[in-house]
Amino acid sequence: MFYGTELKNRLMLGTAQYPSPAILRDAIAASGAEVITVSLRREGAGGGAFREILKESGCRILPNTAGCHSVREAVTTAQMARELFDTRWVKLEVIGHADTLQPDPFALVEAARILSAEGFQVFPYTTEDLIVGEKLIEAGCEVLMPWGAPIGSGQGLRNLEGLHTMRAHFPDTPLVVDAGIGAPSQAMAAMEMGFDAVLLNTAVAKALDPAAMARAFGQAVEAGRVAHGAGLMPRRDMAQASTPIFGMAEFAS
């Protein structure tokens, strides 16, 4: 449940870097995603064909403030996106480090506070830092989007312990793993850990067959969610025979 909206498909898909509008359209359809992210810069450069794809997809649009490096820039971009897409949802990015694209936690919290006060429903791109997460919730966020790894890196879930801890620390807050996912198995692992959704872009857009990869990610996210709900077996330090000794045949020597 994200700000009162329940989604059947827990894969959120980005719309940047695709080879062509037709391939983007096919990938969205194959993924089964109900939410697609769009940057204001991307929408402005895409022209009519891109806008038509967004309309035809039937997906909910999650505008993002990609590329913003200050509170003022992020807030202004979000305000423009609300007018353009007619939605209160916004994926808030305030980048603080040029190489890792790690979010600036101080600017992120401040921007989230401003936007929440203006009625936005903020999806903040953050790290797995628990204190930053608490500050974002205090600022009005009802969803947190911790990174798996740096954007576009394909490294997957780089800090498993940190993500496990975050899931345990915020049991009632929707958590979406955002950024760094490079393979369907990594997305499935996030869902098996109990995360509520996965957002990715590059791994699909840059695949040899984006539509096939989008389908694989959709299936992986669904499988991971079902597995988590079914109850994964705990890990053991030692082997345990699946066939009990009691009742086995005894052979005379």
Side-chain angles (χ1 to χ4, degrees):
M1 187 76 71
F2 302 97
Y3 291 104
T5 298
E6 186 172 356
L7 304 176
K8 296 180 180 179
N9 189 302
R10 295 172 183 269
L11 174 63
M12 300 180 179
L13 195 65
T15 57
Q17 305 184 69
Y18 287 83
S20 71
I23 291 175
L24 170 59
R25 180 187 294 109
D26 292 344
I28 293 173
S31 71
E34 297 177 61
V35 176
I36 53 178
T37 64
V38 180
S39 72
L40 199 62
R41 292 173 176 82
R42 176 71 179 90
E43 200 283 337
F50 182 66
R51 295 182 186 182
E52 190 62 27
I53 289 172
L54 300 184
K55 182 178 179 180
E56 290 177 356
S57 71
C59 295
R60 180 149 191 165
I61 304 298
L62 176 60
N64 66 54
T65 62
C68 293
H69 292 261
S70 70
V71 173
R72 181 178 180 181
E73 187 179 13
V75 169
T76 300
T77 301
Q79 292 168 338
M80 294 171 65
R82 178 170 59 182
E83 295 301 317
L84 182 61
F85 296 109
D86 190 26
T87 178
R88 292 194 295 157
W89 279 21
V90 64
K91 178 191 169 187
L92 179 62
E93 296 183 28
V94 188
I95 301 302
H97 192 271
D99 292 330
T100 64
L101 300 182
Q102 179 173 331
D104 178 336
F106 308 102
L108 180 66
V109 171
E110 179 61 23
R113 182 176 293 110
I114 293 170
L115 292 173
S116 294
E118 292 186 5
F120 281 89
Q121 296 175 328
V122 182
F123 292 67
Y125 166 61
T126 183
T127 65
E128 64 277 21
D129 188 291
L130 302 182
I131 305 303
V132 176
E134 289 177 348
K135 296 296 184 183
L136 288 167
I137 291 175
E138 290 173 5
C141 299
E142 297 181 14
V143 178
L144 298 175
M145 303 183 77
W147 65 352
I151 294 171
S153 69
Q155 295 178 20
L157 308 181
R158 195 165 64 169
N159 183 1
L160 286 172
E161 186 60 34
L163 290 171
H164 272 295
T165 301
M166 191 173 199
R167 178 69 282 179
H169 190 74
F170 298 104
D172 301 319
T173 301
L175 300 181
V176 181
V177 172
D178 175 20
I181 298 295
S185 58
Q186 297 165 356
M188 182 166 62
M191 300 304 295
E192 288 177 347
M193 289 168 62
F195 282 85
D196 297 279
V198 170
L199 193 158
L200 56 94
N201 187 164
T202 308
V204 170
K206 294 297 186 181
L208 293 177
D209 186 338
M213 186 61 76
R215 184 177 302 107
F217 269 107
Q219 294 170 344
V221 167
E222 174 64 17
R225 183 66 183 181
V226 171
H228 174 73
L232 295 165
M233 69 172 289
R235 295 183 61 179
R236 303 188 179 100
D237 293 331
M238 301 293 290
Q240 179 175 325
S242 57
T243 302
I245 296 177
F246 179 78
M248 292 182 66
E250 297 183 8
F251 297 94
S253 57

